[in-house]
Amino acid sequence: MKAIRSVHAAPRHHWVGNGFPVRSLFSHHDHGRDLDPFLLMDYAGPVTFQPASKPRGVSEHPHKGFETVTIVYQGEVAHRDSTGHGGVIGPGDVQWMTAGAGILHEEFHSDAFTEAGGALQMVQLWVNLPARAKGMEPGYQVIRAGDIPEVSLADGAGAVRVIAGDLAGRTGPAQTQTPMQVWDVRLRREGRARLHVPEGWPATVAVIDGTVMVNDDAVLRDADLAILGTEGSALALEANNEARLLVLSGEPIGDPVAARGPFVMNHEHEIERTRADFRHNRFLSREAS
């Protein structure tokens, strides 16, 4: 069984723009290589928004050198970017954006959600790209809820949506640049499950809601996090009540990481060049796309 390296209580929330009250469950700056290839996890909500006349969100901002993975549980998020892409994702949907060589991006509540109001609950992951892929062309994968395979757990314990990687012969639809598992797990009350990730990969368990015991040892509640080591492969989960959690695991990239704001490269001089490119409008603008 994988050993638990550390457990982290739910942090305080902060606002990203005026539409996303998030708690940063982990970041590269805090946990470094313990989570490679994952860089950051922001958990937004659950929070209820009143109807409004103008969409709330985050205005145009740059990304380079990594990928963002947005998983929506409640509400709707609209996006547009400098490649000319745009769209709306809702409950159960996933947006996998590859910033690669650089992209300008904005995220707002959808028009329908803005008008009606309601509960918003979502997660955004930042996933590192290996050095060979940091200059790749930006792109999107919009993964609809109905396209994500679901694996039923033994003894009626719950189910796992396989977003990336594979489980029990089912392969997730996300196309990744390095091998990884992104599993959206639902456990029923008193449900027990035993999952396996590859030996040599670190793993992370992040509780979205509910109470979960990990490896018969650590009890996690809403927005708590457990980081597990690379030795062993088994991961035991037991829910006290109905629970939802993310299990993340990936083959470590092992490259040096230089991260500053929305830019993730391998060396500081690359960060400085990227910042200069952005200042001098060498990133695409929507008008130029």
Side-chain angles (χ1 to χ4, degrees):
M1 190 174 291
K2 283 189 174 293
I4 297 175
R5 285 182 174 175
S6 58
V7 174
H8 305 272
R12 298 181 63 180
H13 83 268
H14 62 277
W15 283 87
V16 176
N18 67 351
F20 305 103
V22 308
R23 289 173 283 184
S24 296
L25 273 58
F26 66 76
S27 74
H28 169 77
H29 298 291
D30 294 332
H31 303 294
R33 294 191 180 278
D34 286 347
L35 298 172
D36 187 8
F38 300 97
L39 297 165
L40 176 141
M41 177 178 172
D42 276 348
Y43 173 26
V47 64
T48 299
F49 286 92
Q50 297 301 312
S53 58
K54 182 178 180 181
R56 306 173 179 94
V58 186
S59 59
E60 190 174 76
H61 54 283
H63 291 301
K64 183 175 181 178
F66 65 102
E67 300 180 291
T68 66
V69 181
T70 304
I71 305 168
V72 178
Y73 297 104
Q74 299 184 79
E76 286 187 341
V77 180
H79 66 94
R80 291 186 295 176
D81 67 60
S82 53
T83 70
H85 289 94
V88 174
I89 55 173
D93 296 339
V94 176
Q95 178 204 79
W96 200 294
M97 182 189 78
T98 302
I103 197 169
L104 300 178
H105 180 68
E106 62 181 44
E107 297 159 292
F108 285 88
H109 299 175
S110 72
D111 289 342
F113 181 77
T114 298
E115 182 178 353
L120 178 73
Q121 186 180 29
M122 56 176 278
V123 162
Q124 186 171 95
L125 303 170
W126 288 15
V127 180
N128 200 12
L129 288 170
R132 60 172 169 75
K134 287 189 179 292
M136 69 183 295
E137 183 177 350
Y140 278 97
Q141 302 171 65
V142 177
I143 303 170
R144 297 300 178 189
D147 296 327
I148 299 173
E150 185 168 286
V151 174
S152 296
L153 296 171
D155 301 319
V160 179
R161 295 199 314 150
V162 184
I163 296 170
D166 57 81
L167 179 65
R170 306 297 300 277
T171 299
Q175 298 178 15
T176 66
Q177 298 302 311
T178 58
M180 68 187 65
Q181 314 279 21
V182 178
W183 295 339
D184 178 20
V185 182
R186 295 192 310 277
L187 293 176
R188 295 191 175 95
R189 183 181 181 87
E190 299 182 354
R192 295 175 60 91
R194 193 175 182 92
L195 304 176
H196 292 267
V197 299
E199 177 90 22
W201 293 12
T204 303
V205 176
V207 175
I208 304 303
D209 45 52
T211 303
V212 178
M213 179 177 286
V214 179
N215 288 358
D216 302 317
D217 182 14
V219 176
L220 307 182
R221 297 177 175 84
D222 296 6
D224 288 349
L225 178 83
I227 299 174
L228 297 92
T230 58
E231 295 183 0
S233 65
L235 175 64
L237 304 170
E238 181 178 356
N240 181 52
N241 46 25
E242 289 194 0
R244 190 153 198 169
L245 55 145
L246 280 177
V247 174
L248 310 174
S249 185
E251 181 178 71
I253 295 173
D255 291 342
V257 175
R260 196 177 308 175
F263 308 131
V264 181
M265 304 302 291
N266 299 118
H267 304 285
E268 283 297 325
H269 69 86
E270 295 171 323
I271 292 287
E272 293 304 322
R273 185 169 65 243
T274 297
R275 296 178 72 188
D277 287 343
F278 178 61
R279 285 196 304 269
H280 292 91
N281 297 318
R282 289 192 284 266
F283 275 42
L284 286 174
S285 66
R286 218 172 21 249
E287 291 76 9
S289 62

